[in-house]
Amino acid sequence: MDEIRPSSGAGAHLGLASIFPPGLQAIYGQCRRLYPDQANPLQVTAIVKYWLGGPDPLDYISMYRNLGCPGQDVPEHWHYVSLGLSDLYGDNRVHEFTGQEGPSGFGFELTFRLKREAGETAPPTWPAELMQGLARYVFQSENTFCSGDHISWHSPLDNSESRIQHMLLTEDPQMQPVQTPFGHVSFLQIVGVCTEELQAAQQWNGQGILDLLREVHIAGGPWLITDMRRGETIFEIDPHLQERVDKGIETDGSNLSGVSAKCAWDDLSRPPEDEDDSRSICIGSQPRRLSDKDTEQIREALRKGLEINSKSVLPPISSQRHSHDRPQSRKDSLESESSAAIVPHELVRTRQLESVHLKFNQESGTLLPLCLRGRLLHGRHFTYKSINGDTAITFVSTGVEGAFATEEHPYAAHGPWLQILLTEEFVEQMLADVRDLSTREMSKLPKEYSWPDKKLKISVLPDTVFDSPLQ
């Protein structure tokens, strides 16, 4: 549980600076630069610190009153700054100290700008719990965030009836990166968005949508201030913006290279009782686990997908990263809950499959057009990583190097990881057949799509199918 209290005024009394941890003092200094007249801002603080066994990773969230910038038509708002994702102490109680040259802790802190309502005299505290939730994800998964990332939240950020139900991340427009004795720290601002804006970010890229939000005053403006009372998307405010998104997708494709999903796959070319079948659905047994090498390969594949390269590349099977390397960015980076493989890596062979059946829940199914149009038609790849185990499905185009699926054998599996290689002609055919998935208005499930000549079947199923232990 958190408590609200004025901060200790560390920034106001330089003679007391020595009693405050250096990492904390460095961030306080950045805040003092912006708010010299708010030496004692309200703070939400974890009663039991994370390093003492408490549930909340952020030691503090400071809350400031920002007067905005009338010259840029920036309204008055509340400014929230987290303390705890970076290394505040330097004594290994939370983060391993690795030197001044690299990132401090996870290398960033979160900020949030919330439009101040008329008559408000104190900042709402719900953003602090939102930031704690994001911090818990980072600590538990060790996946970090970067500017342009999107976060699917599927609920109003303030638990109201608001349309603002998801988030994008960007650099804070005022908080400059700081160098601390324990490494460098940047500041990533949370930006609340509507579902339609999140979908546009998925189909194109987060930075493009952030730029559009900056152009629309009531949707964020130049400082990307979140207004929980906003009732219209940027596409309803200015319908011409959808044309810019469509043109961007056609020109750039999508930067989203993979998602965590409810998905499964079946090898239809083998009987269910075949014990050697490493397919994703294992009735009466636990799904097989990916080895460290395979897990790192899929993670690296997703990371590669974030880069704008002339040719998309999958790393070879033998590639291996050091275990202490942390994914550089992305809510959707892959992280296996158990790195130990049930089947030793050396004994898992790559198998060519004759026929496959892919299964997705509705939310995952609606991303298929994005996968096909925004990724494969641009010579890239896209991965669905199951949230229920180590199952993974990677779609690859003929321009992707390093894939173990080939044009001669387009369906190939390495343990529970399935790769599907699709030619451009087949992608165009599939896009025409699954275009109804783009509407997100599927009222009747299941939905079946089948290409008998390609020996491929796709089912979009209710969530309950994937929640069942037998799938």
Side-chain angles (χ1 to χ4, degrees):
M1 180 177 292
D2 298 334
E3 64 176 353
I4 307 171
R5 61 174 177 81
S7 68
S8 52
H13 308 288
L14 297 181
L16 298 179
S18 60
I19 71 174
F20 291 95
L24 187 66
Q25 188 64 25
I27 298 175
Y28 276 149
Q30 180 65 238
C31 295
R32 281 199 306 273
R33 181 184 65 83
L34 288 182
Y35 304 106
D37 58 342
Q38 298 183 56
N40 297 289
L42 285 176
Q43 282 187 330
V44 175
T45 179
I47 295 176
V48 180
K49 298 295 186 283
Y50 192 71
W51 38 274
L52 293 176
D56 298 320
L58 301 177
D59 281 6
Y60 313 101
I61 296 99
S62 294
M63 303 178 287
Y64 297 90
R65 184 168 178 170
N66 191 304
L67 297 180
C69 181
Q72 298 184 46
D73 204 18
V74 176
E76 188 172 343
H77 58 278
W78 304 109
H79 193 195
Y80 302 75
V81 180
S82 77
L83 299 118
L85 284 162
S86 63
D87 190 351
L88 305 179
Y89 306 99
D91 57 6
N92 295 319
R93 74 178 72 179
V94 180
H95 300 282
E96 180 181 357
F97 176 58
T98 57
Q100 297 184 13
E101 300 304 317
S104 170
F106 288 104
F108 69 96
E109 294 289 352
L110 293 170
T111 72
F112 183 60
R113 295 175 185 268
L114 177 67
K115 183 179 179 181
R116 177 177 171 267
E117 299 294 340
E120 272 186 341
T121 58
T125 57
W126 62 262
E129 181 52 37
L130 181 73
M131 296 167 87
Q132 288 284 18
L134 295 178
R136 279 190 287 270
Y137 165 78
V138 172
F139 271 80
Q140 291 166 8
S141 69
E142 294 193 345
N143 295 335
T144 60
F145 295 136
C146 71
S147 180
D149 280 352
H150 72 268
I151 301 170
S152 304
W153 201 250
H154 299 290
S155 178
L157 304 188
D158 60 353
N159 294 316
S160 68
E161 299 298 320
S162 174
R163 292 186 69 178
I164 307 299
Q165 301 188 10
H166 308 280
M167 292 165 273
L168 298 178
L169 294 174
T170 189
E171 297 92 350
D172 189 287
Q174 290 185 297
M175 299 284 285
Q176 301 299 316
V178 297
Q179 182 66 41
T180 80
F182 314 130
H184 55 79
V185 182
S186 60
F187 296 89
L188 286 178
Q189 180 176 317
I190 300 165
V191 181
V193 296
C194 302
T195 298
E196 294 82 354
E197 294 153 359
L198 172 81
Q199 294 169 3
Q202 292 174 328
Q203 294 164 8
W204 184 22
N205 61 69
Q207 294 292 0
I209 301 306
L210 288 165
D211 288 342
L212 297 184
L213 289 166
R214 290 187 180 97
E215 297 177 15
V216 181
H217 168 67
I218 61 175
W223 291 10
L224 292 171
I225 297 166
T226 298
D227 180 2
M228 295 303 296
R229 293 181 179 271
R230 175 161 69 96
E232 293 181 301
T233 71
I234 57 173
F235 308 113
E236 293 167 338
I237 297 169
D238 183 355
H240 293 96
L241 296 182
Q242 184 62 55
E243 298 176 7
R244 292 172 59 179
V245 173
D246 293 339
K247 183 176 180 180
I249 296 172
E250 181 180 353
T251 303
D252 307 327
S254 172
N255 275 7
L256 182 64
S257 60
V259 293
S260 296
K262 291 185 177 181
C263 63
W265 61 270
D266 237 340
D267 178 5
L268 298 182
S269 54
R270 291 198 175 194
E273 63 272 12
D274 190 338
E275 293 299 327
D276 291 329
D277 184 6
S278 295
R279 61 200 182 121
S280 64
I281 300 181
C282 302
I283 302 300
S285 65
Q286 292 297 316
R288 297 178 187 269
R289 294 285 185 179
L290 286 175
S291 69
D292 287 339
K293 291 182 179 180
D294 292 339
T295 298
E296 292 295 344
Q297 181 183 357
I298 300 176
R299 184 187 301 134
E300 185 67 15
L302 288 189
R303 190 180 299 116
K304 288 280 187 180
L306 303 180
E307 303 169 0
I308 306 301
N309 298 324
S310 58
K311 178 177 287 188
S312 187
V313 178
L314 281 171
I317 282 288
S318 60
S319 71
Q320 195 169 13
R321 294 171 56 84
H322 297 295
S323 60
H324 59 75
D325 285 354
R326 180 181 298 133
Q328 298 173 354
S329 67
R330 222 68 251 140
K331 180 180 178 280
D332 298 317
S333 296
L334 302 185
E335 186 71 30
S336 173
E337 293 181 2
S338 172
S339 60
I342 291 178
V343 180
H345 173 78
E346 292 77 9
L347 300 182
V348 178
R349 71 187 190 281
T350 299
R351 297 185 295 107
Q352 284 78 42
L353 313 179
E354 291 293 327
S355 178
V356 294
H357 182 192
L358 311 182
K359 303 179 181 182
F360 302 99
N361 75 330
Q362 179 171 342
E363 182 178 4
S364 302
T366 57
L367 292 176
L368 276 172
L370 156 67
C371 164
L372 299 171
R373 180 169 68 129
R375 298 293 299 178
L376 270 65
L377 285 183
H378 290 264
R380 301 173 187 170
H381 50 81
F382 190 88
T383 295
Y384 288 93
K385 169 65 176 65
S386 173
I387 63 175
N388 295 324
D390 278 331
T391 295
I393 302 170
T394 297
F395 291 89
V396 298
S397 67
T398 53
V400 174
E401 295 181 348
F404 46 79
T406 65
E407 289 192 59
E408 183 180 2
H409 300 287
Y411 312 130
H414 195 83
W417 181 13
L418 174 69
Q419 284 189 7
I420 298 179
L421 187 144
L422 302 176
T423 64
E424 182 174 344
E425 181 182 4
F426 189 22
V427 170
E428 294 282 9
Q429 179 185 347
M430 291 181 65
L431 269 173
D433 293 339
V434 304
R435 61 179 176 268
D436 59 319
L437 291 176
S438 302
T439 65
R440 288 183 177 258
E441 295 178 356
M442 292 180 292
S443 57
K444 294 182 180 180
L445 295 178
K447 291 187 72 71
E448 304 285 349
Y449 304 89
S450 181
W451 297 270
D453 59 322
K454 301 293 186 180
K455 298 182 179 180
L456 176 63
K457 179 180 179 182
I458 295 178
S459 297
V460 181
L461 306 168
D463 280 2
T464 52
V465 173
F466 300 89
D467 297 334
S468 167
L470 294 181
Q471 297 194 28

